[in-house]
Amino acid sequence: MSLEPAALLDALRSAVGPAQVLTDPDLRASYESDWTRRWQGEAAAVVRPGSTEEVAAVFRACVAAGAVVVPQGGNTGLVGGSVPRAVSWKPQVVLSTLRLRDLEEVDPLAGEVTVGAGVTLAALHAHAGAAGYGFGVDLAARDSATVGGMIATNAGGIHVLRHGMMRAQLVGIEAVLADGTVLRRLPGLVKDNTGYNLASLLAGSEGTLAVVTRARLRLTPLLARRVVALLGIANSSDAVELAGELQRKLPSLSAVELFFDDGLQLVLEHAGGEPPFREVHPAYLLVEAEAAEDPTHALAAVVQAAGDLVRDAVLASDQAGRERLWRLRERHTEAISALGVAHKLDVGLPAAALAAFVGAVRQRVERVAPGSRTFIYGHACEGNLHLGIIGPPPDDETVDDAVLRLTIEMGGTVSAEHGIGIAKTAWLEADRGAADVAAMRAIKSALDPHGILNPGVLFALS
Ligand code: FAD
Ligand code: S2G
Ligand code: ZN
């Protein structure tokens, strides 16, 4: 049964209140285009529920009207999953979680906290910090990325080597299924083997199985001392060797980020700042260690012992110095985006294949898209490389196909942390195989039988 558009809007207004139903094109605009500017679509409405019950009411209204739902948090996702599709035969309702911002008291005994899905990562870090705790996931989009979006994409970020991804921080969840059913398992029992772990299943589901409304998260000790080192290195095979040494020898290690000189120069051009070294190095590792006691000497000792693997090093333990070094890595995304709409790849490779991949992928890109600019950077200890390729027009996916097929050939994954979205659906089966995709589709049709949740994400629309 499908309601007239006007009836859908009336039903949405009675679900969340008229003020929380945006239909004016100007008011909808920021919700309809993604962060990379590569994907946009038109919403029949943007709705902003203020409670779990209102989310359920929105679903009931959409099912009655034959509309589809696009869940949205901070809209910092990079694979086109958080904005309306460019083409849709059904009215698309963007369901923004930004009003689900409860921050419950931190539970000091358990070292856990329950928060609303619309809470930003920065607000979560501040809330946990005020209670003397840290949170295991951090990423450069912290001011906008939300807890719900980070669960839905199983976000990784810069501390995965120490704390794991978003799924590893989850000890409970509340979510609303497409028929308005509310799933709630929030008590936060770390050991809870009572059947399928629905929180784990929803982590990485990209808004295709349910809308996460609250989450119970494990917190980490707030460590007082941090030091950051920027290491000038010769190439990516030295980077892999050094990353392994750091992991083996430095228990306080919390981040190892790889980037190359072309990216460094681009960031300096884009954001200003002094070059970190007098001479240019082909590649760089940004290394962070954090501990209760100052880890500077321990880090310096590992760097010293690395001998020729390290061509030059600069360390900073003061906040300003650390931020100055981090900026060289964290500003990559924005500096590349300032050059134009980039082809963004987010691949994961086995450690043994990483260096070979870096060489091979540059050749492959040059072959299929001569003259493009390829910036490579990422999380070295997880083999997670990000490629920002400027050159081919946004809708020419020749270069994406070349990179992703090389990744699969080398035993890697076509999406290490950003998800599939609509950007990578064409390569899902080549990566996961028909059996896995069939099992995922079976789960999808069980939980969202009418296919109203984020159609086109994960599975291409047939
Ligand atoms: P959105 O972009 O709003 O949505 C992302 C996906 O989740 C969509 O499919 C959406 O439908 C779904 N969704 C959103 N909220 C919910 C909900 N409550 N319930 C169900 N589904 C939902 N990602 C990393 O993993 N590591 C990084 O280091 C990293 N760095 C970044 C740096 C920059 C500068 C930028 C712009 C992005 C970066 N990202 C990174 C990507 C992005 O921040 C993450 O994917 C983040 O998890 C998205 O959160 P969000 O709230 O913005 O979600
Ligand atoms: C990172 C962010 C987005 C990108 O910087 O670690 O996950 O691909 C990425 O530029
Ligand atoms: Zn990343």
Side-chain angles (χ1 to χ4, degrees), residues 374-423:
T374 300
F375 298 94
I376 303 177
Y377 52 103
H379 316 283
C381 289
E382 302 95 69
N384 179 187
L385 295 176
H386 300 298
L387 284 83
I389 303 171
I390 295 283
D395 52 4
D396 173 358
E397 296 201 312
T398 314
V399 76
D400 308 69
D401 189 56
V403 172
L404 296 179
R405 292 199 179 281
L406 176 67
T407 303
I408 295 169
E409 281 163 33
M410 298 184 78
T413 170
V414 300
S415 178
E417 58 179 9
H418 297 162
I420 295 292
I422 55 173

Side-chain angles (χ1 to χ4, degrees), residues 34-36 69-83 85 95-98 100 116-121 137-142 144-160 165-166 173-176 202 205-214 257 329-334 344 346 377 379 384 386 416-422 453-454 457:
D34 85 310
W35 191 92
T36 69
V69 175
V70 177
Q72 187 181 101
N75 199 12
T76 65
L78 297 163
V79 288
S82 54
V83 294
R85 308 296 92 89
L95 189 159
S96 168
T97 63
L98 294 181
L100 303 176
V119 167
T120 64
L121 178 58
V137 177
D138 194 15
L139 46 87
R142 58 185 68 84
S144 303
T146 63
V147 166
M150 291 172 65
I151 291 169
T153 58
N154 187 28
I158 54 179
H159 294 326
V160 171
M165 300 177 80
M166 198 60 186
I173 206 160
E174 177 190 84
V176 183
L202 295 185
S205 62
E206 300 189 52
T208 61
L209 297 180
V211 166
V212 175
T213 47
R214 281 195 294 167
E257 297 291 307
R329 160 63 179 89
E330 289 208 332
R331 302 293 286 266
H332 268 66
T333 307
E334 150 203 331
K344 296 181 77 62
D346 155 44
Y377 52 103
H379 316 283
N384 179 187
H386 300 298
E417 58 179 9
H418 297 162
I420 295 292
I422 55 173
L453 262 168
N454 236 356
V457 166

